[in-house]
Amino acid sequence: MAPPQGSRAPLEFGGPLAAAALMLLLPVTMFHLLLVARSGPARLLGPPPSLPGLEELWSPWALLLCLAWLGLQAALYLLPARKVAEGQDLKDKSRLRYPITGFQALVLTALLVGLGVSAGLPLSALPEMLLPLASAATLTAFISSLLLYLRALVAPASALAPGGNSGNLIYDFFLGRELNPRIWLFDFKYFCELRPGLIGWVLINLALLMQEADLRGSPSLAMWLVNGFQLLYVADALWYEEAVLTTMDIIHDGFGFMLAFGDLAWVPFTYSLQAQFLLYPPQPRGWPLASFICLINAVGYYIFRGANSQKNPFRNNPSDPRVADLETISTATGRRLLVSGWWGMVRHPNYLGDLIMALAWSLPCGVFHLFSYFYFLYFTALLVHREDRDERQCLQKYGLAWHEYSRRVPYRIVPYVY
Ligand SMILES: NC(=O)C1=CN([C@@H]2O[C@H](COP(=O)(O)OP(=O)(O)OC[C@H]3O[C@@H](n4cnc5c(N)ncnc54)[C@H](OP(=O)(O)O)[C@@H]3O)[C@@H](O)[C@H]2O)C=CC1
Ligand SMILES: CC(C)CCC[C@@H](C)[C@H]1CC=C2C3=C(CC[C@@]21C)[C@@]1(C)CC[C@H](O)C(C)(C)[C@@H]1CC3
């Protein structure tokens, strides 16, 4: 049921036609990249590799593995939580509760995988299954989005997201209609955003590292770097799990195809492209270069973590001693905006740190292969677009106060550049 005329949010992502195109283009791009990655010298802009047969693209075992993975992560989500956090205020001023079990899920998954490998589980065979696994994840995302769309038909208007309820079936299916679809404490969007895809990503990376060890006797330094950096990123996301409750995806976006596909398929299969790339050909890296790349990653992480660790406590409790000294401006909504610290440097310091890390993840693959920079290029486009969406949402929320913030902090992501 669409909200009454007049209360509809402006269409984002280019409207229904672009949403339809994206629903086709995103899976096609993902499969293209997976095929290119295993085709020897991986060329991003080269001719598409020949299409594999159906038996290479689909396997019922891969679907079973995918569902078992989701089942395992769901079971770990439901384990007794070290903490139950509250989300931000909803329209009716109530707050939802979220179990904080992400890091524990990562550690338990690592223990289970460790036990499995020592009992003979052939983890290094996983990369051979990436294509059918990606097909299974795409199908799961598609069916989940369909069920979520149907569920939203009977949801009360108060449960719907600000966007994603235009009345256009394709657009709403893509963006997602319900803001927080959940059954009791099991919140589907929160679960998918942080668990199966992120933990699946580092598991694929680990399997690629083990495959490289099988192929060459030991993993290369470049492979260690990519694995280490990305494990740090995922472990950080799960350690600071609560911080995801103040992100745009949880507060603003509905749960539809974009996030379901993004979380379940796009993240594990395209975010692991650098490790996939590193299997062919070997990329010898010396320690001086490796140390420099580590330094770039450390700078990115420092900015990313610093910025998110200022915004999140501030949003939960503005008088939190960690942020109480920061300068703020008031807004007509009663909420304040940080104008000093990281948020006084640019308007999206967390994006800046994230982008610097993205660069550090590609550098171990060398500078001659555009393919290994796919993540960096895609991520730059994603964050520039996301920043633009957020800017419009904040302008709508905070009006004059946002203009004042933009005047005081004129750069969006990169100081003196953008
Ligand atoms: N690896 C990946 O694929 C991706 C990673 N990310 C990362 O996820 C994280 C979250 O991103 P995202 O949700 O887009 O953005 P933010 O975490 O920056 O959240 C934006 C919101 O923060 C609040 N805000 C903005 N400016 C201020 C300020 N000066 N003071 C206080 N609050 C402010 C506003 O919400 P309000 O005022 O209503 O609280 C705004 O809508 C980022 O670190 C990003 O890099 C994001 C996308 C993809
Ligand atoms: C496929 C489409 C083009 C877009 C899909 C976008 C999604 C892949 C991303 C949207 C926001 C995300 C976030 C993270 C992962 C990628 C998606 C789901 C995040 C969980 C990564 C780890 C970070 O520490 C974070 C801040 C917790 C991120 C939150 C946003």
Side-chain angles (χ1 to χ4, degrees):
M1 176 198 333
Q5 286 288 343
S7 67
R8 282 181 183 166
L11 297 184
E12 299 183 287
F13 292 91
L17 262 182
L22 279 173
M23 276 195 280
L24 193 70
L25 267 180
L26 289 170
V28 168
T29 307
M30 180 183 76
F31 282 107
H32 173 77
L33 292 166
L34 286 173
L35 287 171
V36 169
R38 53 183 220 159
S39 66
R43 291 224 193 100
L44 185 60
L45 300 175
S50 55
L51 273 185
L54 187 64
E55 67 290 347
E56 278 187 80
L57 279 172
W58 177 256
S59 128
W61 292 111
L63 180 63
L64 206 66
L65 192 59
C66 181
L67 295 178
W69 176 252
L70 286 173
L72 169 70
Q73 292 307 323
L76 295 177
Y77 174 101
L78 290 171
L79 284 181
R82 68 179 154 105
K83 181 176 174 189
V84 176
E86 284 196 336
Q88 297 290 294
D89 282 351
L90 297 175
K91 273 185 227 156
D92 61 3
K93 298 289 165 216
S94 66
R95 284 177 173 224
L96 293 173
R97 289 158 59 77
Y98 297 85
I100 302 298
T101 49
F103 194 74
Q104 148 187 340
L106 177 68
V107 173
L108 288 173
T109 307
L111 281 176
L112 287 174
V113 170
L115 278 177
V117 170
S118 53
L121 184 84
L123 188 59
S124 57
L126 188 74
E128 302 304 327
M129 290 184 74
L130 287 187
L131 276 179
L133 280 173
S135 305
T138 306
L139 181 72
T140 309
F142 187 80
I143 294 178
S144 313
S145 324
L146 202 63
L147 294 175
L148 287 163
Y149 184 90
L150 294 176
R151 190 187 131 106
L153 293 177
V154 291
S158 60
L160 300 182
N165 289 287
S166 66
N168 180 291
L169 190 146
I170 294 181
Y171 180 82
D172 295 348
F173 177 81
F174 177 73
L175 228 66
R177 300 196 59 201
E178 203 178 341
L179 185 59
N180 303 297
R182 52 163 55 203
I183 297 172
W184 186 59
L185 257 189
F186 198 94
D187 187 297
F188 295 103
K189 184 170 62 169
Y190 173 69
F191 166 71
C192 287
E193 179 105 348
L194 283 168
R195 315 300 181 89
L198 281 191
I199 303 179
W201 167 23
V202 289
L203 186 63
I204 292 175
N205 275 353
L206 176 67
L208 288 157
L209 182 142
M210 291 179 66
Q211 199 186 19
E212 199 192 20
D214 285 354
L215 282 174
R216 307 209 173 98
S218 65
S220 59
L221 181 54
M223 184 66 98
W224 280 116
L225 289 183
V226 167
N227 263 262
F229 294 161
Q230 298 185 346
L231 177 63
L232 169 71
Y233 188 68
V234 169
D236 171 275
L238 295 165
W239 182 260
Y240 294 100
E241 187 176 16
E242 223 179 309
V244 87
L245 301 177
T246 62
T247 61
M248 188 197 287
D249 313 72
I250 301 292
I251 297 176
H252 182 272
D253 292 339
F255 194 26
F257 183 82
M258 180 181 76
L259 279 182
F261 175 76
D263 293 338
L264 301 178
W266 185 259
V267 166
F269 298 102
T270 68
Y271 285 29
S272 58
L273 280 178
Q274 283 105 347
Q276 294 179 42
F277 170 87
L278 284 172
L279 278 186
Y280 328 88
Q283 300 290 324
R285 297 276 162 262
W287 277 105
L289 183 63
S291 315
F292 180 61
I293 299 174
C294 286
L295 182 69
I296 298 181
N297 195 64
V299 170
Y301 180 71
Y302 181 68
I303 301 176
F304 168 83
R305 180 57 21 236
N308 282 332
S309 294
Q310 278 181 345
K311 190 199 74 174
N312 194 51
F314 180 73
R315 272 292 166 251
N316 286 333
N317 170 19
S319 22
D320 185 311
R322 285 171 291 175
V323 287
D325 290 343
L326 294 174
E327 196 186 340
T328 60
I329 49 178
S330 312
T331 74
T333 63
R335 283 155 86 83
R336 286 185 286 147
L337 291 167
L338 292 164
V339 279
S340 67
W342 289 111
W343 298 81
M345 182 175 80
V346 283
R347 299 206 290 277
H348 271 97
N350 44 0
Y351 290 4
L352 174 66
D354 224 336
L355 279 171
I356 296 175
M357 283 191 284
L359 181 65
W361 300 352
S362 298
L363 286 172
C365 305
V367 286
F368 299 112
H369 294 93
L370 194 56
F371 181 82
S372 51
Y373 288 81
F374 171 79
Y375 176 75
F376 179 69
L377 297 174
Y378 138 81
F379 200 45
T380 305
L382 178 93
L383 290 186
V384 167
H385 176 249
R386 202 171 161 93
E387 196 278 338
D388 186 59
R389 285 180 72 206
D390 192 46
E391 192 82 4
R392 272 184 274 126
Q393 284 163 22
C394 287
L395 198 58
Q396 204 182 11
K397 268 185 280 188
Y398 301 125
L400 281 178
W402 191 259
H403 280 300
E404 169 63 6
Y405 179 45
S406 306
R407 193 188 59 76
R408 292 190 51 181
V409 184
Y411 292 98
R412 293 163 182 250
I413 302 180
V414 186
Y416 303 106
V417 178
Y418 178 73

